[in-house]
Amino acid sequence: MRQVDLTDVDCGITQALGVLTDWWTFLIVRDVSGGVTRFDALQKELGMSRRALAERLTALVEHGVLHRRRYTDRPPRYDYLLTAKGEGLLPVLLALQEWGDRYVLGDGSLTATAAAGSAEHRRAHALRGRTLPELTLPRHDGVPIAPADPGVWTVLFCFPGAFAPESQGYPQHWTDIPGTRGCTLEATTYAARHERFAAAGARIRGVSTQRTDQLSAFAAHAALPYELLSDADGRLAAALRLPTFRAAGADRLKRLTMLIDPAGTIREVQFPVTDPAASVDEMLLAVTAKTPV
């Protein structure tokens, strides 16, 4: 792989590009973050030559962005996994995705929703049949847990942000952004239906990019009987390429709900969610259809 002499040693952008070299490298990091970790799978997913892929994987390992974990000895084969340095690139991937969705694939409008048939809509619904990658997110009390537990059905609803009245409130002009309204209504409707979901064999979890202290304050204020997770580092959003928007200097999840089976496979996706309360009853019907008592 051709190396470029980047002489501006004090510019972080220049030096970062010296590591990330070309667009193939970004796509490798994208796919590894999403759980595509083996050479043959990456080569099939990306459609690049084996030599080019091997060169870039070697360079990313040398730069400490990826590390190798052997999964077979004869012949030696490895998973390629993100290091802490590599996970530091996830906000960069989200920023590229949000910019592309908004300005390249969209009309430049700031929105927390999407039109049916849009690129974001197609990408979200293509998650059906996808297995969740192995990762943990901090719960609202700070304890790291998986987004969905094995052996049970999970309703995982993503929301832009919900705040307790006494905590730091919504960003300025929040409600002017289409699609942001309804987070509290959605959360409390899930709370009101909690026992019915449990009777149908499903667990509820909510996730946003808010800090754990904000989520904890809201969970206590709303007396939620289920867990909230923080994706402040963008691990889940980057892994699944979830639709996001940027407001008040932070990446936010657009409202989207997934039904995940006991094996960790996404079976149903709601996106866009234009009626937060009605979407809860629609998801309850989907759960009941798939988990007959």
Side-chain angles (χ1 to χ4, degrees):
M1 184 170 59
R2 185 172 63 90
Q3 299 296 316
V4 178
D5 183 19
L6 300 174
T7 57
D8 192 344
V9 297
D10 293 327
C11 177
I13 295 174
T14 300
Q15 295 307 308
L17 292 175
V19 174
L20 300 173
T21 60
D22 61 16
W23 61 284
W24 282 118
T25 308
F26 281 95
L27 295 181
I28 291 169
V29 173
R30 180 202 67 182
D31 284 2
V32 170
S33 73
V36 184
T37 61
R38 297 183 177 179
F39 186 96
D40 288 341
L42 284 166
Q43 197 272 331
K44 180 179 179 181
E45 185 74 17
L46 294 168
M48 60 192 302
S49 74
R50 297 179 69 86
R51 177 180 175 181
L53 177 59
E55 289 176 346
R56 285 161 177 80
L57 287 173
T58 298
L60 288 170
V61 170
E62 290 175 349
H63 284 294
V65 174
L66 301 178
H67 70 93
R68 302 194 304 174
R69 182 181 67 190
R70 183 175 293 195
Y71 64 87
T72 184
D73 291 327
R74 295 183 180 179
R77 294 288 185 269
Y78 301 89
D79 283 306
Y80 291 88
L81 305 171
L82 292 177
T83 63
K85 184 176 181 179
E87 289 184 346
L89 286 168
L90 298 183
V92 179
L93 293 181
L94 289 178
L96 284 171
Q97 175 181 278
E98 194 273 340
W99 185 83
D101 286 338
R102 180 175 176 182
Y103 291 105
V104 180
L105 299 173
D107 62 5
S109 301
L110 176 60
T111 178
T113 185
S118 65
E120 287 178 292
H121 179 269
R122 293 193 299 272
R123 193 171 71 236
H125 285 270
L127 290 171
R128 288 192 183 98
R130 172 87 176 268
T131 300
L132 284 183
E134 294 182 14
L135 57 85
T136 60
L137 300 176
R139 200 166 56 191
H140 59 263
D141 60 1
V143 176
I145 63 171
D149 289 331
V152 296
W153 287 82
T154 302
V155 174
L156 186 66
F157 72 97
C158 305
F159 60 97
F163 298 85
E166 66 275 10
S167 68
Q168 179 181 357
Y170 292 94
Q172 189 176 17
H173 306 303
W174 177 259
T175 57
D176 293 337
I177 303 172
T180 55
R181 292 176 180 267
C183 295
T184 297
L185 175 61
E186 182 179 31
T188 54
T189 305
Y190 269 114
R193 307 287 190 274
H194 179 260
E195 291 186 0
R196 295 173 64 182
F197 276 98
R203 182 170 296 164
I204 299 168
R205 283 181 176 152
V207 58
S208 82
T209 59
Q210 293 171 260
R211 303 190 312 264
T212 54
D213 62 305
Q214 294 172 329
L215 292 175
S216 180
F218 176 71
H221 165 73
L224 299 182
Y226 54 83
E227 299 159 317
L228 298 180
L229 308 181
S230 172
D231 193 29
D233 293 332
R235 299 185 70 196
L236 182 68
L240 297 180
R241 302 182 213 170
L242 297 176
T244 64
F245 67 105
R246 189 163 181 82
D251 295 312
R252 317 278 179 170
L253 294 173
K254 295 188 177 183
R255 188 173 286 108
L256 176 150
T257 305
M258 294 172 280
L259 176 60
I260 303 161
D261 73 14
T265 302
I266 300 168
R267 293 303 180 187
E268 294 291 342
V269 175
Q270 291 177 324
F271 181 80
V273 177
T274 56
D275 187 333
S279 73
V280 177
D281 289 324
E282 291 171 5
M283 184 53 68
L284 181 58
L285 289 174
V287 169
T288 303
K290 291 184 179 298
T291 59
V293 178

